[in-house]
């Protein structure tokens, strides 16, 4: 299966062009049939003159655009334009301000001549945009969908869900309420067939096999998938089944993919959008928060491909109610235009947009949360497995408590494993407190997940998004990469603390701080720090071992895919995702192991019980006793 790059797909459709007679100017020497008598122009004739001028200007602009396209082809700097895209732009540019020296090539935009830094390329007015506010103001949405809630958490749906629901309705109706430009845009959005590359359309088992069941890549992709499926169920339930009669789950998924991958943030709702205090209060009561901005689909802007170091920028100008696109750098003739979708890790870039750049320009991340699901998905308020309602009766803690016990199966720092409350009551009591403190931070991503900066921060967009990078694969240099894992060590201190730590006050300290969400178990002795860092090395190393290939084997496999036939394929994309996460885990485990070795050298008595680091977990029966007594 070939995974296309993040370019705009268009529905295959027949387009009937309206044929009209051309107006001919009288040739030299040819007399006009009009009377030569001088009269005051009538209102009708004045309107006709204005219309003729407007038509003449539009005609001139079209000629310039066609000329620029043909000139580019003649220079062999561009490929033939997609006729559907050309038709779409000619319709959109009747309302938008479009630079004639930017032209469509296949499904992206390209410079037809050298572009200077700071040149304005497009201005897309409000009447061409599709906002979440428009969706929330729709009569059907207001009457039948706004009460929708996620079934498992009771959380409200994000505004992007309602925008997608509304777009899906628009695509399935006659569209008589929209002008030609809006219709041409919606028809150009990718269809279900063209969206099959997106992970939202994959089977769960396929995601698991491609990314690794234990991996953070899989957890993030699964969260987006679960979100969209839960949204559709919520919309159907809120409308008493009416929505499913109008929009299928597949059509909603396609619309949601378009909103996820193509929407932009114009900023908070403002008076320019006719949002008064009453309307704002109405949305606030429903749980919507527009302080961080709205979501909108913006024709033309969403045709640009992504790069963290783009050559094009955009901004929303409230006074004009328009998105303005301009060049951030000089752009050579024949080069593709790139903007930035924002700061995303590769795992979120893949799960949300369906691709990775593969040039090391993006952030990567990895998790040591090997045994439990982190309910905070990292998607802000868009979706979470955790209820936003503090009074929720969901039994998340009891579910997580069982999985969290696996982090306590080594009993480092003790000469013998902790058998149970009958033989070692103090040690068993501390172990139970450690579990409760792990439960307090179980869904705090900072305590389990580490981020690594771009492996190739100086990477710049290539001439085209279809250009293959033949310079090898991104490498994560441990000498120059600072990933900062102090929060992960704090987690491992909780896992590794023993009764003798903190002058034998460890039990009291943990007991006194139960429920204290700001509590941090600070550094104490070299022994505790040695155990904590060793714990981190173990968790990172164990996570790395879950992959079917070793790191060097994964590199070799990815290098074999670095060719024209496999570029941006499913195997190429998922290979880059696996490699990025494996590199972070390898760096993390190596750094932690190196620190542990340095701390070990400082220990006065390496054979003392508090310096015990087990190679294997304690017998399973001890963990079963522990779980039975919770």
């Amino acid at each position: 299966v070939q995974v296309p790059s993040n370019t705009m797909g268009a529905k295959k459709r027949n387009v009937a062009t309206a044929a009209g007679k051309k107006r001919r100017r009288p040739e030299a020497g040819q007399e006009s049939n009009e009377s030569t008598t001088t009269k005051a122009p009538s209102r009708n004739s004045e309107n006709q003159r204005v219309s003729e001028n407007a038509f003449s200007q539009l005609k001139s602009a079209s000629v310039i655009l066609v000329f620029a396209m043909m000139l580019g082809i003649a220079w062999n700097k561009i490929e033939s334009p997609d006729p559907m895209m050309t038709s779409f732009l000619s319709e959109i540019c009747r309302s938008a301000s479009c630079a004639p020296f930017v032209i469509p090539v296949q499904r992206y935009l390209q410079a037809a001549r050298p572009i200077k830094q700071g040149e304005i390329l497009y201005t897309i007015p409000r009447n061409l945009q599709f906002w979440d506010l428009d969706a929330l103001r729709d009569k059907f949405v207001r009457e039948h969908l706004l009460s929708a809630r996620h079934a498992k958490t009771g959380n409200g749906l994000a505004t992007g869900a309602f925008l997608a629901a509304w777009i899906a309705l628009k695509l399935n109706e006659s569209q008589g309420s929209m002008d030609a430009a809006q219709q041409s845009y919606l028809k150009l959005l990718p269809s279900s067939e063209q969206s099959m590359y997106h992970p939202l359309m994959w089977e769960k088992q396929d995601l698991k096999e491609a990314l690794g069941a234990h991996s953070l890549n899989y957890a993030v992709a699964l969260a987006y998938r679960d979100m969209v499926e839960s949204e559709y169920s919520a919309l159907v339930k809120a409308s008493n089944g009416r929505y499913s009669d109008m929009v299928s789950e597949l059509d909603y998924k396609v619309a949601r993919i378009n909103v996820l991958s193509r929407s932009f943030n114009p900023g908070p709702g403002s008076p320019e959008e006719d949002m008064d205090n009453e309307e704002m209060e109405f949305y606030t009561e429903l749980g919507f928060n527009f302080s961080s901005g709205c979501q909108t689909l913006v024709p033309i802007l969403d045709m640009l491909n992504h790069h963290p170091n783009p050559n094009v920028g955009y901004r929303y100008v409230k006074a004009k109610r328009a998105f303005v696109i301009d060049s951030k750098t000089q752009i050579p003739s024949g080069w593709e235009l790139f903007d930035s979708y924002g700061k995303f890790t590769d795992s979120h870039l893949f799960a949300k947009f369906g691709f990775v750049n593969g040039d090391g320009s993006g952030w990567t991340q990895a998790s040591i949360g090997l045994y439990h699901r982190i309910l905070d998905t990292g998607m802000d308020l868009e979706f979470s497995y955790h209820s936003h309602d503090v009074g929720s009766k969901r039994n998340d803690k009891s579910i997580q408590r069982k999985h969290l016990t696996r982090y306590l199966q080594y009993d480092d720092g003790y000469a013998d494993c902790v058998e149970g409350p009958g033989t070692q009551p103090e040690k068993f009591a501390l172990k139970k407190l450690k579990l409760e403190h792990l439960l307090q931070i179980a869904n705090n991503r900072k305590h389990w997940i580490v981020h690594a900066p771009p492996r190739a921060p100086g990477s710049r967009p290539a001439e085209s998004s279809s250009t293959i990078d033949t310079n090898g694969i991104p490498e994560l240099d441990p000498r120059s990469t600072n990933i900062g894992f102090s929060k992960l060590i704090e987690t491992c201190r909780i896992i590794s603390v023993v009764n003798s730590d903190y002058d034998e006050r460890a039990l009291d300290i943990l007991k006194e701080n139960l429920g204290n969400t700001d509590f941090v178990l600070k550094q104490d002795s070299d022994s505790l720090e040695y155990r904590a860092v060793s714990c981190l090395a173990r968790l990172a190393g164990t996570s790395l071992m879950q992959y079917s290939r070793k790191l060097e084997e994964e590199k070799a496999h990815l290098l074999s895919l670095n060719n024209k036939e496999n570029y941006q394929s499913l195997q190429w994309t998922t290979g880059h995702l696996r490699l990025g996460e494996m590199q972070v885990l390898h760096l993390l485990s190596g750094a932690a192991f190196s620190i542990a070795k340095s701390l070990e050298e400082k220990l006065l008595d390496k054979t003392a019980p508090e310096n015990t680091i087990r190679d294997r977990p304690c017998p399973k029966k001890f963990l079963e006793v522990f779980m039975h007594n919770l």
Side-chain angles (χ1 to χ4, degrees):
V1 178
Q2 292 296 316
V3 182
S5 57
N6 53 318
T7 51
M8 182 178 227
K11 286 186 176 179
K12 294 181 180 179
R13 62 193 189 281
N14 294 322
V15 179
T17 56
K21 292 184 178 180
K22 293 183 179 179
R23 296 177 57 87
R24 284 200 312 141
R25 297 173 63 185
E27 296 179 5
Q30 181 179 353
E31 292 185 1
S32 170
N33 293 328
E34 295 180 6
S35 171
T36 56
T37 306
T38 304
K39 336 179 152 176
S42 65
R43 177 171 297 181
N44 287 338
S45 63
E46 179 65 18
N47 288 341
Q48 183 180 2
R49 184 181 65 80
V50 172
S51 297
E52 290 175 359
N53 288 341
F55 179 80
S56 177
Q57 292 173 6
L58 178 61
K59 185 172 162 186
S60 299
S62 300
V63 170
I64 293 173
L65 177 61
V66 172
F67 175 74
M69 290 163 56
M70 297 306 296
L71 190 61
I73 295 171
W75 285 346
N76 292 318
K77 296 294 288 184
I78 61 172
E79 303 171 48
S80 299
D82 187 311
M84 300 304 299
M85 188 65 70
T86 304
S87 174
F88 157 73
L89 283 175
S90 65
E91 189 65 57
I92 287 290
C93 291
R94 294 174 185 269
S95 299
S97 173
C98 305
F101 49 83
V102 177
I103 55 178
V105 177
Q106 295 181 354
R107 294 293 170 180
Y108 55 86
L109 296 174
Q110 192 177 82
R113 59 114 164 123
I115 298 176
K116 299 178 182 178
Q117 182 178 354
E119 287 195 67
I120 293 178
L121 310 178
Y122 291 98
T123 302
I124 300 103
R126 176 65 172 87
N127 65 294
L128 296 178
Q129 304 163 24
F130 294 83
W131 284 47
D132 50 7
L133 287 177
D134 301 332
L136 296 174
R137 290 166 175 169
D138 179 79
K139 183 179 179 181
F140 180 84
V141 173
R142 283 216 166 196
E143 290 181 358
H144 300 287
L145 302 182
L146 284 188
S147 62
R149 319 287 290 184
H150 287 288
K152 291 185 178 180
T153 61
N155 297 336
L157 273 58
T159 60
F162 295 102
L163 177 55
W166 181 61
I167 291 294
L169 287 169
K170 290 287 184 185
L171 286 168
N172 287 348
E173 64 185 26
S174 64
Q175 302 181 14
S177 61
M178 294 183 292
D179 60 29
Q182 290 177 319
Q183 290 185 40
S184 69
Y185 172 69
L186 290 185
K187 288 178 181 178
L188 199 63
L189 290 174
S191 64
S192 57
E193 292 82 4
Q194 294 160 331
S195 300
M196 294 307 294
Y197 72 92
H198 197 283
L200 282 179
M201 308 294 273
W202 296 16
E203 294 294 335
K204 184 177 178 180
Q205 185 62 31
D206 293 336
L207 278 175
K208 185 183 294 186
E209 291 177 0
L211 302 175
H214 65 286
S215 71
L216 186 57
N217 287 320
Y218 173 64
V220 173
L222 185 62
Y224 277 91
R225 185 178 179 276
D226 289 346
M227 174 187 73
V228 174
E229 292 182 353
S230 177
E231 286 172 351
Y232 182 75
S233 297
L235 293 168
V236 172
K237 182 178 180 181
S239 63
N240 292 320
R242 289 189 62 181
Y243 191 71
S244 60
D245 295 335
M246 304 165 75
V247 175
S248 69
E249 184 172 8
L250 177 60
D251 287 343
Y252 175 76
K253 276 188 176 182
V254 173
R256 193 64 169 107
I257 288 171
N258 286 328
V259 170
L260 282 170
S261 61
R262 298 175 178 278
S263 61
F264 296 85
N265 187 345
S270 61
E272 288 83 2
E273 293 303 319
D274 300 322
M275 182 187 284
D276 55 25
N277 290 334
E278 183 179 353
E279 185 178 13
M280 181 64 81
E281 289 175 3
F282 173 72
Y283 294 140
T284 302
E285 290 176 1
L286 290 171
F288 300 134
N289 179 13
F290 288 105
S291 61
S292 58
C294 302
Q295 287 193 64
T296 176
L297 295 175
V298 187
I300 298 179
L301 180 55
D302 66 2
M303 291 167 59
L304 303 180
N305 283 317
H306 162 78
H307 197 279
N309 302 309
N311 53 22
V312 163
Y314 65 88
R315 64 189 185 280
Y316 182 71
V317 182
K318 286 186 178 181
K320 294 182 177 180
R321 301 179 73 200
F323 277 86
V324 177
I325 307 173
D326 57 11
S327 53
K328 293 188 65 168
T329 65
Q330 292 183 348
I331 306 173
S333 178
W335 280 59
E336 182 178 344
L337 273 57
F338 291 86
D339 72 341
S340 172
Y341 296 174
K343 183 179 177 181
F344 291 96
T345 60
D346 279 353
S347 54
H348 278 273
L349 196 66
F350 170 70
K352 186 172 183 177
F353 299 96
F355 73 96
V356 294
N357 283 341
D359 62 351
S361 60
W363 284 67
T364 46
Q365 62 179 0
S367 172
I368 62 167
L370 187 60
Y371 303 123
H372 78 294
R373 171 186 274 185
I374 303 171
L375 300 182
D376 179 1
T377 60
M379 298 159 66
D380 297 324
L381 294 177
E382 191 164 38
F383 179 71
S384 175
Y385 292 112
H386 196 63
S387 176
H388 298 153
D389 182 7
V390 293
S392 171
K393 295 182 179 180
R394 270 177 54 83
N395 203 12
D396 293 329
K397 288 188 175 181
S398 64
I399 297 171
Q400 286 187 309
R401 183 180 278 109
K402 178 181 177 181
H403 297 140
L404 290 168
T405 57
R406 296 190 64 185
Y407 296 107
L408 303 175
Q409 60 185 326
Y410 281 85
D411 288 340
D412 292 331
Y414 295 121
D416 301 308
C417 291
V418 179
E419 297 183 26
T423 55
Q424 299 150 305
E426 292 291 315
K427 294 177 181 178
F428 193 83
L430 179 64
K431 196 169 185 176
K432 290 178 68 175
L433 284 172
K434 288 159 67 171
L435 178 60
E436 294 304 314
H437 278 272
L438 286 177
L439 199 57
Q440 287 184 181
I441 63 171
N443 301 307
N444 187 330
R445 295 173 61 82
K446 294 181 179 178
H447 281 280
W448 304 95
I449 295 173
V450 63
H451 296 82
R455 291 159 287 176
S459 175
R460 293 293 181 270
E463 183 173 353
S464 166
S465 54
S466 59
T467 302
I468 302 173
D469 182 6
T470 58
N471 295 324
I473 57 175
E475 293 285 353
L476 191 60
D477 187 353
R479 296 166 297 180
S480 59
T481 304
N482 181 13
I483 59 176
F485 46 84
S486 59
K487 285 292 182 182
L488 274 60
I489 293 179
E490 289 176 10
T491 301
C492 286
R493 282 197 199 109
I494 293 174
I495 295 172
S496 306
V497 66
V498 297
N499 298 72
S500 60
D501 290 324
Y502 301 99
D503 296 328
E504 299 188 354
R505 292 194 63 253
L507 186 66
D508 293 335
I509 291 173
L510 264 60
K511 187 181 296 184
E512 292 166 2
N513 286 282
L514 269 180
N516 180 4
T517 56
D518 297 323
F519 173 65
V520 174
L521 195 59
K522 297 181 180 179
Q523 185 172 348
D524 181 39
S525 63
D526 286 341
S527 292
L528 173 57
E529 207 64 8
Y530 168 63
R531 295 195 305 272
V533 177
S534 298
C535 165
L536 178 58
R538 177 194 292 141
L539 288 174
T542 303
S543 296
L544 187 60
M545 290 168 59
Q546 304 306 306
Y547 288 95
S548 59
R549 295 188 184 96
K550 294 181 180 180
L551 181 59
E552 294 304 319
E553 293 173 342
E554 190 67 62
K555 288 181 182 180
H557 172 70
L558 195 52
L559 276 172
S560 70
L561 299 174
N562 202 30
N563 51 58
K564 185 177 180 179
E565 290 73 25
N566 292 290
Y567 180 65
Q568 289 288 347
S569 67
L570 182 153
Q571 293 83 3
W572 183 93
T573 301
T574 54
H576 272 284
L577 286 165
R578 289 193 304 271
L579 177 67
E581 188 166 324
M582 290 174 73
Q583 286 175 326
V584 176
L585 288 170
H586 184 263
L587 176 61
L588 180 62
S589 62
F593 181 78
S594 177
I595 296 172
K597 292 297 289 183
S598 298
L599 288 168
E600 186 180 24
E601 293 175 359
K602 297 181 181 179
L603 300 176
L604 298 178
D605 183 1
K606 294 180 177 60
T607 62
E610 62 269 21
N611 297 325
T612 300
I613 301 294
R614 288 184 169 79
D615 295 328
R616 297 177 179 233
C618 292
K620 188 177 179 180
K621 62 180 181 179
F622 294 163
L623 192 62
E624 291 173 350
V625 170
F626 178 64
M627 293 172 63
H628 179 74
N629 280 273
L630 293 178

